[in-house]
Amino acid sequence: MDLGAILRRYCSDLTRTVCVGRAPARVRRWYHAVQQAQAAAVDLIKPGVAAGAVDAAARRVLQGYGLGRYFVHSTGHGIGLEIHEEPRLARGQKRHLEAGNVVTVEPGVYVAGVGEFELKTTSP
């Protein structure tokens, strides 16, 4: 699930994995891999580190699990007055993180046909 809120003009962004019932073993393995990828990325975040290096750390973990081809977006992005703003934690990004940057760290594994659903809502 990917959701957020805006309060006093500041944005939030939250991604969570939810499973109804017991997840199959392969999905639990993927979940564990994503947790490790997220931890590897978070461990690098500090002023002076290139944003692309943070992304690369997450990708290395997922590659190690044979899941690299299922990581089809960036590791994260800046957040503040916009939901998606600089710096981008993505491949090849040379911009260095600075004190005060607020970023999301949301690597993911997206396998077509697995875990997909669409939540439909109606307006009053």
Side-chain angles (χ1 to χ4, degrees), residues 2-7 9-15 77 79-84 104:
D2 190 46
L3 58 123
I6 299 173
L7 178 64
R9 297 186 45 216
Y10 285 91
C11 300
S12 69
D13 187 7
L14 177 72
T15 303
H77 54 84
I79 192 164
L81 296 174
E82 299 291 332
I83 295 170
H84 296 101
T104 67

Side-chain angles (χ1 to χ4, degrees), residues 31-53:
Y31 183 84
H32 180 70
V34 171
Q35 281 184 313
Q36 287 186 344
Q38 183 183 44
V42 168
D43 285 348
L44 275 184
I45 294 176
K46 63 182 174 186
V49 172

Side-chain angles (χ1 to χ4, degrees), residues 22-101:
R22 182 156 172 83
R26 70 181 176 147
V27 173
R28 291 193 310 271
R29 182 177 167 272
W30 298 343
Y31 183 84
H32 180 70
V34 171
Q35 281 184 313
Q36 287 186 344
Q38 183 183 44
V42 168
D43 285 348
L44 275 184
I45 294 176
K46 63 182 174 186
V49 172
V54 176
D55 181 78
R59 287 184 191 284
R60 274 191 300 277
V61 171
L62 293 176
Q63 284 285 45
Y65 277 88
L67 298 169
R69 70 177 188 233
Y70 300 115
F71 184 21
V72 296
H73 62 76
S74 64
T75 296
H77 54 84
I79 192 164
L81 296 174
E82 299 291 332
I83 295 170
H84 296 101
E85 59 184 42
E86 293 294 329
R88 290 182 52 234
L89 303 181
R91 280 187 178 146
Q93 293 294 307
K94 301 202 183 318
R95 179 177 175 167
H96 288 84
L97 300 176
E98 301 173 14
N101 286 150

